[in-house]
Amino acid sequence: MGPNKYKRPLMPQNDQNTIDTSAYLKSLGLQGDIEKISFKEALNQALDDSKNNFVDGICHRPWCQSMDECLWVSLRNLQNQFSEYFFDHNLAEEDLLINDVDFIRFATKGCYLPETYYERASLENKSIAFVLELMQALIFCNLSELSLEDLSEEDARLKAFGQDLYKFLLYSLHQSELSKRPAQIDKLKAFLSENQIFDREDSNDFLMMAKNI
């Protein structure tokens, strides 16, 4: 998995838990003459500031209005779910959809995701919608009585599928990795064709979606 296609500033490398220059904080949209502040404090400040940037926390874009949530928030939540259920909280920094620096910048200055992410006919948007829907089905509509966390721990094939699904999304969003996308789709279709996680109707619906993206 490769670098994100939009650039982001890097946290200082001497201490991942602190940000110790006021210039760096101001570059993220955080105001104040701060010499040293914990990243958690900076994050909380950014969340407070974000209330002034959005009406009810949602931007004007049709996608965000229809989802009742800004897309970058959905991607951050999606990333956290994949990290928890399928990657043992070990997603590499370069493989994050929305890292902590992104989160602060988006919250304080508004979204700077590429506009293609929002265009309903785009490859990026169709891929995001597919993964969001499939992830919701895994959580709420799987045939097991187990939670997805427990199920992924017990079923190695499901855990591999979750990792493949996340990689598919990364490859769809990163122009430099589009060549890896077809092989990843084949892996998803193979799982959906013979899984015991969904009922047959749901599996067929997702399989049709996979063939059309």
Side-chain angles (χ1 to χ4, degrees):
M1 292 182 276
N4 209 319
K5 72 176 183 180
Y6 53 90
K7 295 182 179 179
R8 52 173 70 114
L10 298 176
M11 288 181 62
Q13 295 302 304
N14 59 322
D15 186 343
Q16 289 292 317
N17 296 315
T18 61
I19 303 172
D20 47 22
T21 65
S22 58
Y24 179 75
L25 289 175
K26 288 179 180 179
S27 76
L28 300 177
L30 300 173
Q31 304 301 315
D33 205 9
I34 307 168
E35 294 300 324
K36 189 171 185 179
I37 185 172
S38 72
F39 194 72
K40 182 176 181 181
E41 291 171 318
L43 192 61
N44 288 337
Q45 182 179 334
L47 287 171
D48 289 338
D49 291 344
S50 71
K51 296 176 182 177
N52 298 321
N53 294 329
F54 304 101
V55 177
D56 296 327
I58 305 169
C59 76
H60 66 279
R61 293 178 175 87
W63 167 275
C64 302
Q65 290 290 325
S66 66
M67 296 293 290
D68 201 29
E69 182 176 72
C70 275
L71 179 56
W72 65 268
V73 177
S74 297
L75 288 176
R76 171 81 172 198
N77 291 337
L78 191 64
Q79 166 190 295
N80 291 344
Q81 290 174 337
F82 275 99
S83 178
E84 176 182 356
Y85 298 138
F86 303 117
F87 290 93
D88 301 319
H89 299 281
N90 287 321
L91 274 172
E93 174 76 10
E94 63 269 21
D95 295 328
L96 298 179
L97 301 172
I98 307 290
N99 69 11
D100 288 337
V101 173
D102 292 328
F103 187 87
I104 286 183
R105 175 167 289 184
F106 288 20
T108 57
K109 295 185 177 181
C111 178
Y112 71 102
L113 290 175
E115 286 300 319
T116 53
Y117 285 27
Y118 294 94
E119 297 169 1
R120 291 192 180 273
S122 72
L123 177 148
E124 292 94 335
N125 188 268
K126 289 191 293 185
S127 299
I128 291 169
F130 171 69
V131 174
L132 280 171
E133 188 168 343
L134 218 168
M135 192 65 169
Q136 288 297 299
L138 283 173
I139 294 173
F140 298 111
C141 301
N142 72 73
L143 295 177
S144 170
E145 295 182 358
L146 298 174
S147 68
L148 182 55
E149 181 177 14
D150 291 338
L151 188 59
S152 65
E153 290 178 356
E154 291 193 4
D155 189 337
R157 192 160 183 261
L158 174 62
K159 193 163 189 174
F161 172 74
Q163 293 174 359
D164 286 334
L165 186 62
Y166 188 80
K167 291 175 185 177
F168 161 77
L169 183 57
L170 284 180
Y171 298 159
S172 299
L173 299 182
H174 300 168
Q175 293 293 321
S176 63
E177 297 187 298
L178 287 179
S179 62
K180 301 177 182 178
R181 192 173 180 273
Q184 209 64 29
I185 293 176
D186 287 343
K187 291 182 181 180
L188 301 183
K189 290 192 293 187
F191 178 88
L192 291 169
S193 296
E194 54 187 52
N195 76 91
Q196 304 298 316
I197 302 298
F198 301 123
D199 64 34
R200 181 44 48 194
E201 182 177 358
D202 286 343
S203 290
N204 287 340
D205 286 346
F206 283 121
L207 188 58
M208 184 63 64
M209 290 175 67
K211 291 178 178 178
N212 291 328
I213 58 173

